[in-house]
């Protein structure tokens, strides 16, 4: 898989892409991730990527010319262009799973008051929102999408099936997890987990998952 993130702040992702699972996935050749500086496609002495909105109003709007030039340079027949926007569809685990099966993702990161509507109309194959709130720019939301997608690539987590029982993958929240020591400050782990009876442990985990989902996320 190849992922290209188009932004005017490419260095914001240096530490995120260079650590943990994202770093190992790139080193293993599972994914190539590249941050593309939108200013490389801007013109003028100041490489301007934004301008005042028609009709007035606060803030600045991302200009169409640099974004169109960037997508023209990056897009291939198999590419999927994703616009990060608070107006997009809510990002869910099912979306991450679907995107993990793509071969080339181009993530467009909006900034300021958003992007010129013609970018949305003519370029975006998919619009994604990570929640009902507004961030300073789309790079942060793009990082979340990239992380969620890459960890689903076969081999990214170091073992087959490692992501199968996680929250939202099954439509439920994950069951409680415990590790050593068995008793900590008077709090003991459930005895079933040390029984060695894997069938009963599986039943306990399923029951806990269902109960936790009903209590915390009944909307699921």
């Amino acid at each position: 898989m190849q992922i290209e993130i188009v932004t005017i702040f490419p260095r914001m992702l240096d530490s995120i892409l260079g650590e943990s699972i994202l770093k190992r996935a790139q080193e293993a050749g599972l994914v190539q991730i590249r941050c593309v500086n939108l200013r490389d496609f801007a013109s003028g002495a100041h490489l301007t990527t934004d301008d005042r909105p028609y009709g007035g109003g606060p803030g600045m709007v991302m200009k169409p010319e640099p974004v169109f030039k960037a997508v023209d340079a990056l897009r291939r027949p198999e590419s999927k262009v994703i616009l990060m926007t608070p107006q997009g569809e809510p990002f869910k685990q099912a979306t991450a799973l679907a995107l993990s099966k793509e071969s080339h993702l181009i993530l467009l990161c909006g900034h300021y008051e958003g992007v010129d509507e013609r970018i949305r109309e003519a370029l975006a194959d998919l619009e994604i929102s990570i929640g009902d709130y507004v961030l300073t720019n789309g790079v942060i939301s793009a990082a979340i999408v990239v992380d969620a997608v890459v960890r689903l690539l076969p081999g990214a987590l170091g073992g087959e099936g490692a992501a199968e029982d996680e929250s939202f993958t099954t439509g439920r929240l994950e069951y409680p997890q415990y590790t050593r020591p068995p008793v900590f400050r008077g709090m003991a782990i459930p005895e079933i987990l040390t029984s060695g009876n894997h069938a009963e442990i599986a039943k306990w985990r399923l029951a806990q998952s269902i109960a936790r989902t009903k209590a915390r996320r009944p909307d699921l």
Side-chain angles (χ1 to χ4, degrees):
M1 168 180 276
Q2 185 177 8
I3 301 175
E4 297 184 283
I5 305 166
V6 182
T7 172
I8 61 173
F9 301 115
R11 295 192 62 183
M12 285 186 67
L13 292 177
D14 286 351
S15 60
I16 295 176
L17 299 179
E19 300 287 347
S20 189
I21 291 172
L22 291 179
K23 177 183 179 181
R24 294 196 296 270
Q26 292 176 85
E27 292 176 341
L30 301 178
V31 62
Q32 296 178 352
I33 306 174
R34 182 166 72 109
C35 292
V36 178
N37 192 337
L38 184 61
R39 295 192 191 279
D40 291 342
F41 300 91
S43 57
H46 301 290
L47 302 178
T48 303
T49 59
D50 64 312
D51 207 336
R52 296 184 301 275
Y54 275 115
M60 305 289 277
V61 175
M62 301 294 292
K63 292 167 61 66
E65 300 99 315
V67 180
F68 272 74
K69 287 180 180 179
V71 173
D72 287 344
L74 301 173
R75 195 175 218 167
R76 305 193 296 262
E78 69 273 19
S79 302
K80 194 172 193 70
V81 179
I82 301 169
L83 177 63
M84 304 306 305
T85 168
Q87 300 181 31
E89 68 175 55
F91 185 59
K92 297 182 180 297
Q93 188 70 10
T95 311
L97 181 60
L99 293 178
S100 72
K101 302 181 187 305
E102 300 285 344
S103 61
H104 186 214
L105 302 178
I106 301 173
L107 277 64
L108 305 179
C109 302
H111 304 282
Y112 312 121
E113 285 298 309
V115 302
D116 186 289
E117 185 68 15
R118 290 164 290 190
I119 295 171
R120 185 193 316 275
E121 293 174 346
L123 296 181
D125 298 314
L126 177 65
E127 299 175 44
I128 288 179
S129 166
I130 62 166
D132 295 337
Y133 48 87
V134 179
L135 300 173
T136 54
N137 62 72
V139 176
I140 301 169
S141 56
I144 291 173
V145 170
V146 170
D147 185 89
V149 169
V150 170
R151 66 193 308 280
L152 293 176
L153 297 177
L157 296 182
E160 295 301 323
E164 290 179 359
D165 291 329
E166 293 181 320
S167 294
F168 309 113
T169 301
T170 60
R172 302 184 301 270
L173 299 182
E174 190 177 9
Y175 48 79
Q177 295 277 19
Y178 298 88
T179 188
R180 294 161 182 79
V183 180
F184 177 71
R185 294 190 177 182
M187 296 178 287
I189 69 171
E191 291 184 7
I192 184 66
L193 297 179
T194 59
S195 67
N197 189 328
H198 296 292
E200 289 301 314
I201 290 174
K203 288 171 59 177
W204 178 87
R205 285 175 167 172
L206 176 60
Q208 291 291 316
S209 174
I210 293 173
R212 177 165 287 191
T213 303
K214 287 182 178 179
R216 301 184 181 186
R217 289 294 303 275
D219 56 298
L220 295 176

